[in-house]
Amino acid sequence: MKFATLSIMDHHPSAGRSVPAFYVEVLQQIEAAEAFGFHSVWFAEHHFSSYGVCPAPPVLLSAAAQRTQRIRLGVAVSVLPFHNPLEIAEQYAMVDILSNGRLDFAVGRGYLAHEYAGFRISREESAGRFDEALTIIEKAWSGETFSFDGRYFHYGPLALNVLPVQKPRPPMWIAGLSQETYANAPRRGYPIMGVPYILPHINDLEPLLVGFNRVADEVQLAASLREPTFAFHFYGGETDAQAEREAPAYIQQYVDTR
């Protein structure tokens, strides 16, 4: 079993801490996670609210790469509909280079209405934009000259001059909450990543995984790509009683930002 940490980067001004001070603390936590032997650290991309103050994960991951040597550095997730996919391919290729091949790369469509409103992008376009962007990133990271002519993006012919260290590309996941995404991930050849606590009930996870495995069987997805990656809240205390007493305030603080 591999242990990792995921930070949504939720920020709480009422605590009296500034965003710059928060960034300093986060980088210190990454160094501590490596010292304690964690496999990886992951950061979410969010915009326009205290729910998350990491709008540019490649910047944070590049800073972390210079402070660490072993721990893997992940984004969970890069919200592809919000971005120019060529820039995403270039920026995360740089993270992989600067970290000497330690990038873990998860992609998703996002789910927060205020972020789509802020970027003035229709949520009805999210699936189409996501699919096109992912295809472009795949082609760009191949290192070959390519062209793309889709509904939302038009590029080429071109080839990137900066490519990831990991070949053929960094480990990748597709994140999702819907049956559609759990079925599309194996069709595209990727494992699934999820945050089950966002589902209406934890039992809703089982049919999603059944659907993923059914499609994975149909497309003969490799066994190494079938293991899901999920995030759960965890609080460690000296005793169970201490954890149960201390954890609710922190969990509620996070929930309030949503």
Side-chain angles (χ1 to χ4, degrees):
M1 181 180 294
K2 298 173 182 176
F3 290 91
T5 68
L6 165 66
S7 177
I8 304 296
M9 295 284 288
D10 49 310
H11 180 246
H12 307 281
S14 60
R17 177 183 57 193
S18 68
V19 171
F22 184 32
Y23 288 165
V24 171
E25 289 184 14
V26 167
L27 289 169
Q28 292 171 341
Q29 289 172 359
I30 296 170
E31 294 179 278
E34 179 171 78
F36 290 142
F38 279 80
H39 169 267
S40 52
V41 291
W42 299 76
F43 295 94
E45 173 193 330
H46 285 297
H47 305 268
F48 316 133
S49 80
S50 59
Y51 182 65
V53 291
C54 183
V59 177
L60 178 62
L61 296 177
S62 294
Q66 304 310 297
R67 293 168 173 253
T68 57
Q69 287 77 45
R70 300 177 307 278
I71 197 166
R72 294 193 64 81
L73 306 171
V75 55
V77 298
S78 178
V79 187
L80 298 188
F82 296 161
H83 300 288
N84 177 320
L86 284 182
E87 292 183 345
I88 292 295
E90 291 176 325
Q91 291 166 10
Y92 282 100
M94 289 184 64
V95 173
D96 202 46
I97 292 169
L98 292 170
S99 66
N100 195 26
R102 289 186 282 139
L103 172 66
D104 285 336
F105 185 64
V107 295
R109 291 159 52 184
Y111 62 95
L112 295 176
H114 78 267
E115 294 185 338
Y116 273 90
F119 281 110
R120 294 193 175 185
I121 293 175
S122 169
R123 294 183 70 179
E124 285 68 35
E125 297 180 356
S126 66
R129 287 181 175 274
F130 174 86
D131 289 339
E132 289 190 13
L134 180 55
T135 297
I136 292 164
I137 292 169
E138 292 169 341
K139 290 179 178 292
W141 279 355
S142 74
E144 304 293 330
T145 298
F146 75 96
S147 297
F148 186 87
D149 188 19
R151 178 178 179 183
Y152 302 103
F153 302 105
H154 307 271
Y155 298 118
L158 57 84
L160 295 193
N161 62 343
V162 175
L163 295 170
V165 173
Q166 299 178 87
K167 302 300 180 185
R169 55 180 175 248
M172 293 176 61
W173 291 257
I174 290 180
L177 297 168
S178 67
Q179 290 182 340
E180 175 189 11
T181 303
Y182 271 70
N184 284 339
R187 289 194 186 102
R188 297 211 57 156
Y190 295 108
I192 195 74
M193 175 180 283
V195 280
Y197 59 82
I198 295 179
L199 297 171
H201 194 279
I202 189 63
N203 291 341
D204 296 334
L205 179 60
E206 183 176 1
L208 295 175
L209 287 173
V210 169
F212 173 90
N213 287 318
R214 181 172 57 251
V215 176
D217 289 340
E218 293 172 359
V219 301
Q220 299 182 324
L221 187 69
S224 61
L225 300 175
R226 295 191 182 210
E227 182 175 315
T229 298
F230 291 130
F232 291 94
H233 289 109
F234 171 85
Y235 190 93
E238 294 295 331
T239 65
D240 287 352
Q242 179 193 13
E244 291 173 0
R245 182 175 63 253
E246 295 178 351
Y250 295 103
I251 297 295
Q252 189 61 51
Q253 187 179 50
Y254 160 73
V255 171
D256 288 345
T257 66
R258 300 188 61 218

